[in-house]
Amino acid sequence: MSSFCDGDEVEIIGHEDGLWGSYYEAKIIKQTEKEDEFLIEYKTLIEDDKEDEITEQQKDGAKVFLQETVNVKYIRPAPPTIEVSKFKINDEVDVFDNDGWWVGRVTRVSENRNKYTGSVFTRCYVWFDSTMEEIDYQFCKLRIHQERTNGSWVKQENNKTKNKRKFVKDSSVLHQETKKIHTGMGTEVGCSSWTVEIY
């Protein structure tokens, strides 16, 4: 019996080279002839513009989202939303970047006040084991990382033993090295546009 129904909101686990530690929002279109495969449509990934396969929608300028047949082992239900007012150092999080959610860990949190409006905005520095990089993001780009275990969602608590990186007291040195890497790639630290090819 199928665990998913047509129209279900799901996430596709990154399962190709360079996509380790990522999740992509999608919906179930239908089950294929195989019991363990589903046709899905991504919510953020767009069809490639191939000259010989341009559809009427593409001619009209409408976005055509990528559809793909995916094995059920790479599909999970969309996780529930957990509202948080702040993140702490070592929180395991997902960061929305490059059209998907990427698993990382908070290394530093900075709060800054706008001198004109007085409003406070938060930036979180996140370490990614998949690329060995620390990148800073706006608070709104993060969510608590959750894993699906025995049919239930489990929130990932602070767990220092899981972190492969030893944190330094002042991570500004690492931040400067990360900035050099991104400058060399033509991308500024803090921008939400880094390429899949680096994974």
Side-chain angles (χ1 to χ4, degrees):
M1 184 175 176
S2 169
S3 55
F4 297 106
C5 299
D6 296 357
D8 279 356
E9 302 288 321
V10 296
E11 288 187 347
I12 308 303
I13 301 167
H15 53 280
E16 298 177 0
D17 289 344
L19 300 180
W20 177 83
S22 64
Y23 301 88
Y24 295 87
E25 297 174 2
K27 68 178 178 180
I28 299 291
I29 301 298
K30 64 179 180 180
Q31 185 169 5
T32 67
E33 295 178 356
K34 296 182 180 180
E35 287 186 8
D36 61 348
E37 285 187 350
F38 288 87
L39 176 66
I40 61 94
E41 182 177 271
Y42 291 98
K43 291 186 171 184
T44 56
L45 301 180
I46 309 298
E47 284 278 10
D48 289 334
D49 289 331
K50 298 177 182 176
E51 288 186 18
D52 56 340
E53 296 179 11
I54 295 178
T55 65
E56 288 302 318
Q57 283 179 304
Q58 287 170 317
K59 287 178 183 177
D60 294 339
K63 290 182 179 179
V64 178
F65 292 102
L66 176 65
Q67 292 189 359
E68 184 176 48
T69 299
V70 179
N71 189 289
V72 69
K73 67 183 177 182
Y74 299 121
I75 305 174
R76 70 177 195 172
T81 300
I82 298 177
E83 298 292 340
V84 293
S85 58
K86 63 181 180 178
F87 291 102
K88 302 181 296 297
I89 291 176
N90 230 27
D91 277 349
E92 193 166 5
V93 295
D94 297 332
V95 177
F96 191 77
D97 198 348
N98 205 31
D99 298 323
W101 293 98
W102 298 82
V103 180
R105 190 173 298 277
V106 176
T107 57
R108 186 160 47 119
V109 178
S110 67
E111 292 187 348
N112 301 289
R113 185 176 299 277
N114 185 307
K115 64 181 180 179
Y116 300 108
T117 65
S119 60
V120 176
F121 57 96
T122 303
R123 295 195 71 87
C124 298
Y125 292 79
V126 179
W127 174 261
F128 299 93
D129 284 337
S130 56
T131 58
M132 303 296 286
E133 292 178 284
E134 181 188 55
I135 305 174
D136 68 305
Y137 292 93
Q138 296 177 11
F139 177 87
C140 61
K141 296 286 187 181
L142 277 65
R143 70 181 186 186
I144 291 292
H145 181 67
Q146 300 176 76
E147 290 287 346
R148 186 84 170 161
T149 305
N150 297 323
S152 300
W153 287 103
V154 178
K155 175 183 171 184
Q156 299 300 291
E157 303 291 345
N158 288 357
N159 187 350
K160 296 181 181 179
T161 60
K162 285 186 67 179
N163 193 3
K164 298 177 183 177
R165 173 180 172 244
K166 293 180 180 178
F167 296 119
V168 292
K169 188 171 183 180
D170 180 7
S171 61
S172 61
V173 175
L174 178 60
H175 179 63
Q176 291 302 318
E177 290 302 313
T178 304
K179 188 172 183 179
K180 289 178 187 175
I181 292 171
H182 280 262
T183 301
M185 289 167 32
T187 309
E188 295 179 4
V189 173
C191 291
S192 58
S193 57
W194 31 293
T195 59
V196 172
E197 285 74 24
I198 67 173
Y199 285 93

